[in-house]
Amino acid sequence: ARVLEIARRLSRGEALGTGEEEEEGCQRHREPLEVFCKEDGALLCAICRESRAHRAHTVLPLPEVVREYQGQIQARLQTLKDDRDKLMEFREAEMKRNW
């Protein structure tokens, strides 16, 4: 959910907000947010990325993360649309049968 919100905001050109940063960037270091920590689902500045808390974690640049998660979201959305279509067909068949 957090990644989806980040992707939405990035696509709209809005400032990002995940709790530890302000519009200008990292709240602690006042640095721009440059990478995404996959383990914590958080945006990080370069200083936070090198901290003990995230050093061993998988981090990716923001554009790469957005592309990756957009692909996953689109695939899941297509699955949901397909399921909805099947349910609508089933509903229509049941309504015809009841008539």
Side-chain angles (χ1 to χ4, degrees):
R2 198 182 289 176
V3 173
L4 179 59
E5 181 60 27
I6 291 167
R8 282 184 187 147
R9 288 181 177 190
L10 284 173
S11 69
R12 292 189 304 237
E14 293 180 9
L16 298 170
T18 60
E20 289 196 23
E21 63 279 339
E22 296 173 346
E23 287 185 23
E24 292 81 34
C26 176
Q27 188 175 12
R28 263 193 209 139
H29 306 110
R30 307 281 189 238
E31 294 287 324
L33 300 168
E34 300 171 346
V35 294
F36 180 78
C37 175
K38 289 184 87 168
E39 280 81 354
D40 295 330
L43 295 169
L44 305 174
C45 71
I47 298 170
C48 288
R49 194 275 174 256
E50 295 303 320
S51 70
R52 284 188 201 146
H54 300 284
R55 192 177 299 150
H57 293 175
T58 303
V59 294
L60 298 169
L62 287 181
E64 186 177 327
V65 170
V66 169
R67 279 192 306 274
E68 178 182 328
Y69 284 105
Q70 277 180 337
Q72 290 178 13
I73 291 166
Q74 290 298 327
R76 290 180 182 157
L77 179 60
Q78 187 59 48
T79 301
L80 289 171
K81 285 179 180 179
D82 293 344
D83 290 347
R84 181 195 61 199
D85 291 343
K86 288 177 187 174
L87 286 170
M88 295 301 284
E89 289 173 13
F90 177 74
R91 179 177 176 235
E92 188 175 320
E94 285 297 308
M95 288 178 71
K96 284 180 182 178
R97 191 177 71 121
N98 288 335
W99 279 104

XYZ file of all heavy atoms in Angstrom:
807
model
N 0.828 -1.196 0.000
C 0.000 0.000 0.000
C 0.866 1.250 0.000
O 0.573 2.223 -0.677
C -0.932 -0.006 1.206
N 1.948 1.196 0.768
C 2.849 2.348 0.841
C 3.489 2.606 -0.517
O 3.586 3.742 -0.960
C 3.927 2.066 1.888
C 4.628 3.303 2.357
C 5.706 2.985 3.351
N 5.154 2.551 4.627
C 5.887 2.138 5.630
N 7.186 2.083 5.527
N 5.342 1.755 6.747
N 3.906 1.551 -1.199
C 4.530 1.688 -2.513
C 3.526 2.226 -3.521
O 3.859 3.077 -4.346
C 5.103 0.335 -2.979
C 5.597 0.418 -4.410
C 6.255 -0.070 -2.075
N 2.300 1.741 -3.454
C 1.266 2.218 -4.357
C 1.050 3.718 -4.175
O 0.946 4.453 -5.156
C -0.034 1.462 -4.122
C -1.219 1.870 -4.983
C -0.908 1.705 -6.459
C -2.427 1.040 -4.608
N 0.993 4.172 -2.943
C 0.817 5.594 -2.680
C 2.007 6.394 -3.207
O 1.838 7.462 -3.789
C 0.628 5.848 -1.177
C 0.415 7.305 -0.828
C -0.811 7.911 -1.483
O -1.771 7.188 -1.793
O -0.803 9.139 -1.691
N 3.213 5.871 -3.038
C 4.403 6.547 -3.555
C 4.335 6.641 -5.074
O 4.598 7.692 -5.654
C 5.683 5.808 -3.101
C 5.874 5.974 -1.595
C 6.902 6.321 -3.860
C 6.911 5.042 -1.002
N 3.959 5.547 -5.719
C 3.860 5.547 -7.180
C 2.809 6.540 -7.655
O 3.024 7.264 -8.632
C 3.532 4.138 -7.683
N 1.677 6.588 -6.963
C 0.628 7.549 -7.331
C 1.136 8.978 -7.228
O 0.930 9.789 -8.116
C -0.585 7.386 -6.421
C -1.460 6.241 -6.762
C -2.674 6.246 -5.868
N -3.453 5.050 -6.067
C -4.138 4.447 -5.118
N -4.140 4.932 -3.891
N -4.833 3.368 -5.368
N 1.792 9.271 -6.124
C 2.287 10.636 -5.924
C 3.365 10.994 -6.941
O 3.394 12.118 -7.431
C 2.815 10.800 -4.509
C 1.712 10.828 -3.489
C 2.250 11.024 -2.115
N 1.157 11.106 -1.167
C 1.318 11.467 0.082
N 2.504 11.774 0.542
N 0.285 11.516 0.877
N 4.244 10.056 -7.233
C 5.282 10.327 -8.226
C 4.670 10.566 -9.598
O 5.098 11.453 -10.333
C 6.280 9.166 -8.300
C 7.282 9.073 -7.170
C 8.080 7.782 -7.291
C 8.206 10.266 -7.157
N 3.655 9.785 -9.955
C 3.039 9.950 -11.264
C 2.295 11.274 -11.370
O 2.158 11.821 -12.453
C 2.099 8.781 -11.579
O 0.968 8.826 -10.749
N 1.832 11.802 -10.229
C 1.150 13.100 -10.238
C 2.118 14.248 -10.005
O 1.710 15.398 -9.993
C 0.074 13.126 -9.159
C -1.085 12.197 -9.456
C -2.229 12.406 -8.488
N -1.814 12.250 -7.104
C -2.350 11.386 -6.249
N -3.324 10.605 -6.637
N -1.933 11.316 -5.012
N 3.391 13.936 -9.777
C 4.385 14.974 -9.540
C 4.281 15.608 -8.167
O 4.790 16.695 -7.941
N 3.661 14.912 -7.228
C 3.492 15.448 -5.881
C 4.713 15.137 -5.029
O 5.511 14.261 -5.336
C 2.265 14.834 -5.206
C 0.965 15.219 -5.843
C -0.215 14.576 -5.140
O -0.030 13.973 -4.063
O -1.321 14.681 -5.675
N 4.813 15.848 -3.925
C 5.866 15.560 -2.955
C 5.550 14.235 -2.281
O 4.392 13.881 -2.100
C 5.933 16.670 -1.910
N 6.593 13.524 -1.903
C 6.420 12.230 -1.259
C 6.371 12.402 0.249
O 7.046 13.243 0.804
C 7.582 11.298 -1.625
C 7.689 10.992 -3.111
C 8.991 10.288 -3.387
C 6.530 10.140 -3.552
N 5.600 11.555 0.907
C 5.527 11.602 2.358
C 5.290 10.221 2.917
O 4.240 9.655 2.699
N 6.275 9.677 3.639
C 6.102 8.353 4.233
C 6.247 8.395 5.745
O 6.346 7.366 6.372
C 7.131 7.358 3.671
O 8.439 7.844 3.973
C 6.970 7.166 2.191
N 6.283 9.587 6.321
C 6.351 9.655 7.768
C 7.667 10.187 8.284
O 7.700 10.861 9.296
N 8.794 9.903 7.643
C 10.086 10.351 8.133
C 10.665 11.488 7.322
O 11.789 11.871 7.531
C 11.085 9.184 8.129
C 10.780 8.160 9.179
C 11.946 7.256 9.428
O 13.078 7.652 9.135
O 11.713 6.160 9.912
N 9.905 12.014 6.385
C 10.443 13.066 5.555
C 9.418 14.177 5.365
O 8.246 13.980 5.545
C 10.879 12.534 4.193
C 9.771 11.969 3.357
C 9.393 10.555 3.713
O 10.166 9.829 4.313
O 8.255 10.190 3.387
N 9.913 15.327 5.041
C 9.058 16.454 4.718
C 9.116 16.637 3.223
O 9.764 15.874 2.515
C 9.572 17.701 5.427
C 9.504 17.578 6.950
C 10.161 18.751 7.633
O 10.899 19.510 6.964
O 9.946 18.914 8.831
N 8.470 17.680 2.723
C 8.468 17.916 1.285
C 9.878 18.089 0.746
O 10.161 17.706 -0.369
C 7.619 19.142 0.951
C 6.135 18.884 1.102
C 5.309 20.051 0.646
O 5.797 20.859 -0.171
O 4.176 20.165 1.098
N 10.775 18.676 1.538
C 12.139 18.923 1.069
C 13.003 17.671 1.064
O 14.056 17.655 0.474
C 12.820 19.996 1.929
C 12.221 21.371 1.771
C 10.955 21.557 2.606
O 10.876 20.993 3.705
O 10.055 22.242 2.133
N 12.598 16.626 1.778
C 13.393 15.407 1.821
C 13.407 14.792 3.203
O 12.456 14.919 3.959
N 14.510 14.150 3.504
C 14.667 13.447 4.775
C 14.554 14.430 5.940
O 15.226 15.456 5.968
C 16.023 12.741 4.786
S 16.395 11.916 6.338
N 13.727 14.095 6.906
C 13.514 14.966 8.059
C 14.769 15.049 8.925
O 15.094 16.104 9.446
C 12.347 14.433 8.879
C 11.916 15.351 9.985
C 10.691 14.831 10.693
O 10.289 13.687 10.519
N 10.085 15.659 11.513
N 15.472 13.939 9.064
C 16.680 13.925 9.892
C 17.837 14.691 9.276
O 18.495 15.457 9.939
C 17.143 12.474 10.088
C 16.701 11.862 11.327
C 17.450 10.576 11.572
N 16.563 9.720 12.323
C 16.409 8.451 12.143
N 17.101 7.824 11.229
N 15.586 7.759 12.865
N 18.082 14.438 7.997
C 19.299 14.959 7.366
C 19.060 16.093 6.371
O 20.008 16.657 5.849
C 20.041 13.815 6.659
C 20.315 12.665 7.565
N 19.661 11.461 7.432
C 21.145 12.546 8.634
C 20.087 10.633 8.375
N 20.974 11.261 9.118
N 17.796 16.366 6.076
C 17.447 17.416 5.104
C 18.090 17.162 3.743
O 18.485 18.075 3.040
C 17.840 18.805 5.612
C 17.313 19.158 6.966
C 15.855 19.579 6.863
N 15.407 20.115 8.134
C 14.383 19.625 8.814
N 13.715 18.607 8.338
N 14.016 20.149 9.954
N 18.192 15.888 3.396
C 18.760 15.477 2.113
C 17.634 14.982 1.214
O 16.603 14.525 1.691
C 19.770 14.334 2.314
C 21.010 14.710 3.085
C 21.952 15.561 2.277
O 22.058 15.341 1.052
O 22.586 16.452 2.874
N 17.827 15.043 -0.112
C 16.790 14.521 -1.010
C 16.645 13.008 -0.876
O 17.621 12.301 -0.623
C 17.285 14.899 -2.405
C 18.710 15.259 -2.250
C 18.952 15.618 -0.823
N 15.433 12.540 -1.053
C 15.149 11.110 -0.987
C 15.481 10.511 -2.345
O 14.915 10.905 -3.354
C 13.683 10.890 -0.630
C 13.302 11.506 0.709
C 11.802 11.520 0.879
C 13.978 10.792 1.846
N 16.407 9.569 -2.354
C 16.935 9.057 -3.612
C 16.687 7.587 -3.857
O 16.689 7.143 -5.000
C 18.445 9.323 -3.671
C 18.802 10.788 -3.578
C 20.284 11.013 -3.416
O 21.015 10.043 -3.116
O 20.706 12.162 -3.598
N 16.509 6.805 -2.784
C 16.367 5.362 -2.939
C 15.206 4.854 -2.098
O 14.730 5.524 -1.187
C 17.666 4.605 -2.555
C 18.793 4.929 -3.502
C 18.059 4.898 -1.125
N 14.778 3.632 -2.416
C 13.677 2.975 -1.721
C 14.200 1.706 -1.082
O 14.804 0.863 -1.759
C 12.564 2.659 -2.721
C 11.381 1.974 -2.107
C 10.453 2.687 -1.388
C 11.197 0.609 -2.273
C 9.342 2.065 -0.830
C 10.097 -0.029 -1.723
C 9.172 0.698 -0.997
N 13.990 1.534 0.211
C 14.378 0.325 0.933
C 13.242 -0.674 0.810
O 12.132 -0.436 1.300
C 14.651 0.651 2.400
S 15.009 -0.813 3.401
N 13.505 -1.804 0.142
C 12.457 -2.804 -0.079
C 12.039 -3.483 1.224
O 10.870 -3.790 1.408
C 12.929 -3.841 -1.092
C 13.015 -3.274 -2.506
C 13.372 -4.321 -3.499
C 12.111 -4.999 -3.966
N 12.313 -5.842 -5.140
N 12.986 -3.721 2.127
C 12.658 -4.402 3.373
C 11.735 -3.568 4.251
O 10.803 -4.084 4.857
C 13.923 -4.763 4.165
C 14.623 -6.003 3.676
C 15.510 -5.759 2.446
O 15.504 -4.644 1.886
O 16.194 -6.705 2.034
N 11.993 -2.267 4.339
C 11.204 -1.394 5.201
C 10.093 -0.655 4.459
O 9.244 -0.034 5.093
C 12.114 -0.375 5.891
C 13.083 -1.034 6.848
O 12.739 -2.090 7.408
O 14.194 -0.505 7.024
N 10.125 -0.687 3.143
C 9.126 0.035 2.365
C 9.200 1.530 2.594
O 8.177 2.198 2.709
N 10.430 2.063 2.673
C 10.605 3.482 2.997
C 11.554 4.144 2.007
O 12.456 3.510 1.476
C 11.167 3.615 4.402
N 11.321 5.434 1.820
C 12.233 6.237 1.007
C 13.389 6.690 1.887
O 13.186 7.044 3.048
C 11.505 7.456 0.451
C 10.391 7.138 -0.528
C 9.577 8.395 -0.808
C 10.964 6.589 -1.811
N 14.588 6.689 1.318
C 15.771 7.034 2.093
C 16.625 8.070 1.377
O 16.685 8.095 0.152
C 16.649 5.794 2.308
C 16.007 4.568 2.933
C 16.984 3.406 2.921
C 15.531 4.863 4.332
N 17.326 8.873 2.175
C 18.342 9.755 1.613
C 19.660 8.967 1.593
O 19.743 7.844 2.109
C 18.477 11.020 2.457
S 19.257 10.788 4.075
N 20.694 9.543 1.022
C 21.989 8.855 0.926
C 22.575 8.557 2.303
O 23.191 7.506 2.508
C 22.963 9.692 0.101
N 22.375 9.441 3.246
C 22.928 9.235 4.596
C 22.189 8.112 5.314
O 22.809 7.226 5.915
C 22.870 10.551 5.407
C 23.739 11.615 4.720
C 23.323 10.323 6.843
C 23.567 13.011 5.276
N 20.868 8.121 5.236
C 20.085 7.044 5.858
C 20.411 5.693 5.225
O 20.453 4.675 5.906
C 18.595 7.311 5.716
S 17.964 8.644 6.740
N 20.647 5.692 3.934
C 20.941 4.457 3.212
C 22.202 3.792 3.752
O 22.317 2.593 3.811
C 21.106 4.760 1.718
C 21.095 3.543 0.797
C 22.472 2.916 0.701
N 22.507 1.690 -0.050
C 22.589 0.478 0.490
N 22.565 0.317 1.774
N 22.700 -0.594 -0.259
N 23.175 4.595 4.181
C 24.436 4.067 4.694
C 24.399 3.768 6.192
O 25.369 3.256 6.730
C 25.574 5.045 4.389
C 25.842 5.209 2.906
C 26.167 3.898 2.210
O 26.896 3.061 2.788
O 25.686 3.700 1.078
N 23.299 4.059 6.848
C 23.198 3.793 8.282
C 23.124 2.292 8.539
O 22.823 1.503 7.649
C 21.958 4.485 8.857
O 20.794 3.836 8.391
N 23.379 1.901 9.765
C 23.326 0.481 10.140
C 21.949 -0.111 9.898
O 21.822 -1.282 9.565
C 23.683 0.313 11.618
C 25.133 0.441 11.901
C 25.411 0.081 13.338
N 26.686 0.662 13.732
C 26.961 1.113 14.926
N 26.046 1.062 15.865
N 28.127 1.619 15.186
N 20.942 0.704 10.071
C 19.567 0.213 9.957
C 19.232 -0.267 8.546
O 18.390 -1.135 8.377
C 18.596 1.313 10.364
N 19.890 0.285 7.530
C 19.547 -0.047 6.144
C 20.720 -0.596 5.332
O 20.531 -1.013 4.200
C 18.996 1.194 5.430
C 17.774 1.746 6.069
N 16.532 1.175 5.932
C 17.602 2.825 6.878
C 15.660 1.878 6.621
N 16.280 2.879 7.205
N 21.904 -0.588 5.884
C 23.108 -0.964 5.126
C 22.981 -2.338 4.476
O 23.373 -2.533 3.333
C 24.337 -0.928 6.034
C 25.639 -1.031 5.272
C 26.849 -0.922 6.186
N 26.840 0.369 6.868
C 27.346 0.575 8.068
N 27.908 -0.409 8.734
N 27.304 1.766 8.618
N 22.405 -3.302 5.161
C 22.304 -4.665 4.630
C 21.022 -4.885 3.824
O 20.815 -5.965 3.291
C 22.376 -5.667 5.773
N 20.187 -3.877 3.711
C 18.921 -4.011 3.003
C 19.073 -3.794 1.506
O 20.018 -3.166 1.047
C 17.903 -3.002 3.533
C 17.479 -3.264 4.939
N 16.650 -2.427 5.633
C 17.763 -4.289 5.792
C 16.433 -2.896 6.841
N 17.111 -4.031 6.962
N 18.112 -4.301 0.768
C 18.058 -4.087 -0.674
C 17.450 -2.721 -0.924
O 16.332 -2.441 -0.483
C 17.183 -5.159 -1.346
O 17.712 -6.439 -1.023
C 17.139 -4.966 -2.845
N 18.200 -1.859 -1.612
C 17.674 -0.532 -1.958
C 17.760 -0.347 -3.461
O 18.661 -0.866 -4.112
C 18.425 0.605 -1.236
C 18.198 0.545 0.258
C 19.895 0.591 -1.546
N 16.792 0.374 -4.003
C 16.737 0.621 -5.439
C 16.486 2.105 -5.686
O 15.819 2.763 -4.882
C 15.602 -0.188 -6.069
C 15.706 -1.704 -5.958
C 14.399 -2.337 -6.389
C 16.850 -2.212 -6.806
N 16.972 2.623 -6.820
C 16.665 4.015 -7.166
C 15.167 4.174 -7.409
O 14.494 3.251 -7.877
C 17.449 4.265 -8.447
C 18.239 3.040 -8.717
C 17.832 1.968 -7.778
N 14.636 5.341 -7.109
C 13.192 5.572 -7.215
C 12.608 5.263 -8.583
O 11.579 4.582 -8.650
C 12.862 7.008 -6.815
C 12.963 7.300 -5.326
C 12.591 8.753 -5.049
C 12.088 6.377 -4.525
N 13.198 5.713 -9.688
C 12.569 5.404 -10.985
C 12.443 3.896 -11.246
O 11.441 3.431 -11.788
C 13.498 6.059 -12.007
C 14.215 7.119 -11.243
C 14.346 6.596 -9.847
N 13.448 3.148 -10.816
C 13.413 1.693 -11.008
C 12.307 1.064 -10.156
O 11.586 0.173 -10.610
C 14.770 1.102 -10.635
C 14.903 -0.365 -10.920
C 16.293 -0.885 -10.609
O 17.275 -0.137 -10.785
O 16.387 -2.048 -10.184
N 12.156 1.537 -8.937
C 11.121 1.018 -8.042
C 9.735 1.313 -8.606
O 8.856 0.448 -8.604
C 11.271 1.639 -6.630
C 10.078 1.315 -5.755
C 12.548 1.172 -5.986
N 9.562 2.520 -9.097
C 8.264 2.904 -9.655
C 7.920 1.997 -10.829
O 6.803 1.473 -10.914
C 8.260 4.390 -10.072
C 7.022 4.720 -10.880
C 8.347 5.277 -8.841
N 8.881 1.777 -11.727
C 8.626 0.892 -12.877
C 8.291 -0.524 -12.414
O 7.349 -1.150 -12.912
C 9.837 0.862 -13.810
C 9.930 2.026 -14.752
C 10.974 1.798 -15.830
N 12.293 1.463 -15.308
C 13.211 2.355 -14.933
N 12.944 3.638 -15.018
N 14.375 1.972 -14.480
N 9.061 -1.026 -11.469
C 8.854 -2.394 -10.983
C 7.465 -2.562 -10.373
O 6.721 -3.489 -10.712
C 9.918 -2.738 -9.944
C 9.763 -4.117 -9.342
C 10.813 -4.413 -8.286
O 11.946 -3.902 -8.398
O 10.481 -5.158 -7.365
N 7.107 -1.670 -9.476
C 5.826 -1.798 -8.801
C 4.663 -1.457 -9.715
O 3.583 -2.019 -9.570
C 5.804 -0.976 -7.519
C 6.591 -1.643 -6.417
C 7.841 -1.171 -6.032
C 6.096 -2.764 -5.776
C 8.573 -1.791 -5.036
C 6.805 -3.403 -4.781
C 8.049 -2.910 -4.411
O 8.776 -3.532 -3.442
N 4.844 -0.547 -10.663
C 3.773 -0.268 -11.609
C 3.460 -1.517 -12.426
O 2.291 -1.818 -12.671
C 4.154 0.881 -12.550
C 3.915 2.235 -11.952
C 4.300 3.359 -12.893
O 5.109 3.190 -13.801
N 3.736 4.525 -12.663
N 4.488 -2.245 -12.834
C 4.271 -3.485 -13.570
C 3.501 -4.499 -12.748
O 2.563 -5.141 -13.240
N 3.880 -4.651 -11.487
C 3.188 -5.586 -10.606
C 1.748 -5.162 -10.376
O 0.827 -5.993 -10.391
C 3.913 -5.677 -9.268
C 5.242 -6.369 -9.332
C 5.936 -6.385 -7.984
O 5.344 -6.088 -6.953
N 7.211 -6.720 -7.990
N 1.542 -3.880 -10.171
C 0.194 -3.374 -9.937
C -0.668 -3.569 -11.174
O -1.829 -3.987 -11.073
C 0.241 -1.888 -9.509
C 0.850 -1.786 -8.112
C -1.153 -1.261 -9.546
C 1.246 -0.379 -7.717
N -0.114 -3.292 -12.353
C -0.874 -3.472 -13.587
C -1.256 -4.935 -13.794
O -2.378 -5.232 -14.215
C -0.068 -2.962 -14.798
C 0.075 -1.454 -14.846
C -1.255 -0.739 -14.965
O -2.193 -1.238 -15.581
N -1.355 0.421 -14.358
N -0.329 -5.856 -13.500
C -0.629 -7.283 -13.657
C -1.748 -7.704 -12.700
O -2.673 -8.436 -13.091
C 0.631 -8.110 -13.402
N -1.687 -7.245 -11.467
C -2.724 -7.598 -10.493
C -4.056 -6.956 -10.854
O -5.114 -7.556 -10.668
C -2.287 -7.183 -9.092
C -1.154 -8.058 -8.604
C -0.684 -7.697 -7.239
N 0.438 -8.547 -6.864
C 1.327 -8.225 -5.962
N 1.235 -7.081 -5.321
N 2.313 -9.046 -5.684
N -3.999 -5.734 -11.366
C -5.218 -5.062 -11.795
C -5.880 -5.823 -12.941
O -7.107 -5.997 -12.952
C -4.906 -3.631 -12.231
C -6.074 -2.801 -12.722
C -7.128 -2.655 -11.632
C -5.586 -1.439 -13.187
N -5.078 -6.325 -13.874
C -5.631 -7.092 -14.989
C -6.289 -8.373 -14.491
O -7.366 -8.747 -14.951
C -4.537 -7.419 -16.016
C -5.071 -8.070 -17.266
C -6.101 -7.213 -17.980
O -5.897 -6.034 -18.201
N -7.225 -7.816 -18.334
N -5.672 -9.033 -13.524
C -6.257 -10.235 -12.936
C -7.601 -9.917 -12.288
O -8.579 -10.656 -12.460
C -5.302 -10.839 -11.889
O -4.067 -11.162 -12.523
C -5.880 -12.081 -11.243
N -7.656 -8.804 -11.559
C -8.907 -8.409 -10.929
C -9.984 -8.085 -11.963
O -11.159 -8.438 -11.788
C -8.686 -7.205 -10.012
C -7.899 -7.491 -8.733
C -7.561 -6.181 -8.024
C -8.669 -8.416 -7.817
N -9.589 -7.430 -13.046
C -10.555 -7.123 -14.107
C -11.081 -8.397 -14.746
O -12.283 -8.510 -15.022
C -9.902 -6.232 -15.167
C -9.723 -4.806 -14.724
C -9.045 -3.981 -15.818
C -8.859 -2.546 -15.396
N -8.187 -1.746 -16.433
N -10.198 -9.358 -14.980
C -10.619 -10.634 -15.558
C -11.595 -11.347 -14.624
O -12.618 -11.885 -15.066
C -9.419 -11.529 -15.848
C -8.524 -10.978 -16.952
O -8.970 -10.083 -17.706
O -7.367 -11.443 -17.051
N -11.285 -11.354 -13.329
C -12.172 -11.978 -12.345
C -13.522 -11.275 -12.307
O -14.573 -11.920 -12.224
C -11.546 -11.961 -10.952
C -10.361 -12.911 -10.820
O -10.177 -13.755 -11.721
O -9.624 -12.782 -9.821
N -13.502 -9.945 -12.372
C -14.748 -9.190 -12.378
C -15.590 -9.548 -13.599
O -16.803 -9.750 -13.495
C -14.456 -7.688 -12.376
C -15.735 -6.846 -12.346
C -15.498 -5.420 -12.708
N -14.972 -5.373 -14.062
C -14.324 -4.347 -14.578
N -14.106 -3.282 -13.846
N -13.872 -4.374 -15.821
N -14.945 -9.642 -14.766
C -15.670 -9.993 -15.987
C -16.318 -11.369 -15.872
O -17.475 -11.561 -16.276
C -14.745 -9.946 -17.207
C -14.308 -8.531 -17.547
O -14.944 -7.563 -17.066
O -13.314 -8.389 -18.291
N -15.595 -12.331 -15.299
C -16.152 -13.673 -15.110
C -17.350 -13.639 -14.168
O -18.362 -14.296 -14.414
C -15.092 -14.613 -14.556
C -14.021 -14.988 -15.555
C -12.966 -15.856 -14.913
C -11.803 -16.102 -15.861
N -10.710 -16.830 -15.207
N -17.234 -12.862 -13.097
C -18.344 -12.748 -12.150
C -19.563 -12.082 -12.791
O -20.702 -12.491 -12.545
C -17.910 -11.962 -10.913
C -17.004 -12.710 -9.945
C -16.459 -11.761 -8.893
C -17.738 -13.864 -9.296
N -19.325 -11.083 -13.608
C -20.440 -10.406 -14.289
C -21.131 -11.363 -15.264
O -22.361 -11.364 -15.357
C -19.949 -9.152 -15.012
C -19.430 -8.070 -14.077
S -20.645 -7.498 -12.888
C -21.639 -6.469 -13.925
N -20.353 -12.172 -15.977
C -20.936 -13.163 -16.882
C -21.763 -14.179 -16.100
O -22.867 -14.548 -16.511
C -19.843 -13.875 -17.669
C -19.172 -13.019 -18.719
C -17.974 -13.706 -19.365
O -17.804 -14.939 -19.182
O -17.214 -13.002 -20.047
N -21.212 -14.622 -14.974
C -21.926 -15.576 -14.130
C -23.217 -14.955 -13.604
O -24.285 -15.585 -13.626
C -21.031 -16.014 -12.965
C -21.705 -16.946 -12.009
C -21.932 -18.273 -12.357
C -22.118 -16.496 -10.761
C -22.560 -19.129 -11.467
C -22.746 -17.349 -9.881
C -22.969 -18.664 -10.232
N -23.151 -13.719 -13.153
C -24.339 -13.022 -12.637
C -25.403 -12.899 -13.722
O -26.591 -13.142 -13.470
C -23.929 -11.644 -12.140
C -25.064 -10.833 -11.613
C -24.567 -9.495 -11.076
N -25.696 -8.689 -10.652
C -25.952 -7.473 -11.085
N -25.145 -6.901 -11.957
N -26.985 -6.815 -10.640
N -24.973 -12.524 -14.917
C -25.915 -12.378 -16.022
C -26.567 -13.713 -16.352
O -27.787 -13.787 -16.581
C -25.190 -11.833 -17.244
C -26.105 -11.468 -18.381
C -25.373 -10.821 -19.530
O -24.481 -10.008 -19.260
O -25.699 -11.150 -20.682
N -25.781 -14.790 -16.384
C -26.331 -16.112 -16.668
C -27.335 -16.530 -15.604
O -28.391 -17.110 -15.902
C -25.192 -17.130 -16.769
N -27.030 -16.231 -14.342
C -27.952 -16.570 -13.253
C -29.233 -15.761 -13.341
O -30.323 -16.274 -13.081
C -27.272 -16.346 -11.887
C -26.265 -17.396 -11.529
C -26.901 -18.775 -11.391
O -27.894 -18.923 -10.652
O -26.402 -19.721 -12.027
N -29.120 -14.501 -13.706
C -30.317 -13.667 -13.836
C -31.203 -14.190 -14.972
O -32.421 -14.254 -14.822
C -29.930 -12.207 -14.077
C -29.366 -11.545 -12.830
S -28.844 -9.853 -13.118
C -30.404 -9.047 -13.323
N -30.598 -14.588 -16.081
C -31.366 -15.141 -17.198
C -32.027 -16.440 -16.791
O -33.170 -16.716 -17.149
C -30.447 -15.366 -18.404
C -30.079 -14.111 -19.135
C -29.180 -14.407 -20.318
C -28.765 -13.132 -21.017
N -27.864 -13.394 -22.137
N -31.309 -17.274 -16.060
C -31.846 -18.550 -15.623
C -33.036 -18.347 -14.678
O -34.029 -19.054 -14.752
C -30.752 -19.352 -14.902
C -31.121 -20.796 -14.635
C -29.957 -21.481 -13.995
N -29.805 -20.974 -12.626
C -29.844 -21.725 -11.547
N -29.973 -23.018 -11.659
N -29.714 -21.191 -10.364
N -32.943 -17.357 -13.802
C -34.039 -17.073 -12.872
C -35.264 -16.529 -13.571
O -36.380 -16.740 -13.109
C -33.583 -16.102 -11.789
C -32.634 -16.757 -10.804
O -32.651 -17.962 -10.635
N -31.805 -15.948 -10.172
N -35.093 -15.827 -14.675
C -36.245 -15.298 -15.413
C -36.953 -16.431 -16.098
O -38.087 -16.507 -16.293
C -35.796 -14.264 -16.443
C -35.569 -12.929 -15.803
C -34.377 -12.363 -15.508
C -36.566 -12.009 -15.337
N -34.553 -11.159 -14.897
C -35.898 -10.911 -14.773
C -37.956 -12.014 -15.322
C -36.558 -9.825 -14.226
C -38.608 -10.925 -14.773
C -37.915 -9.848 -14.238
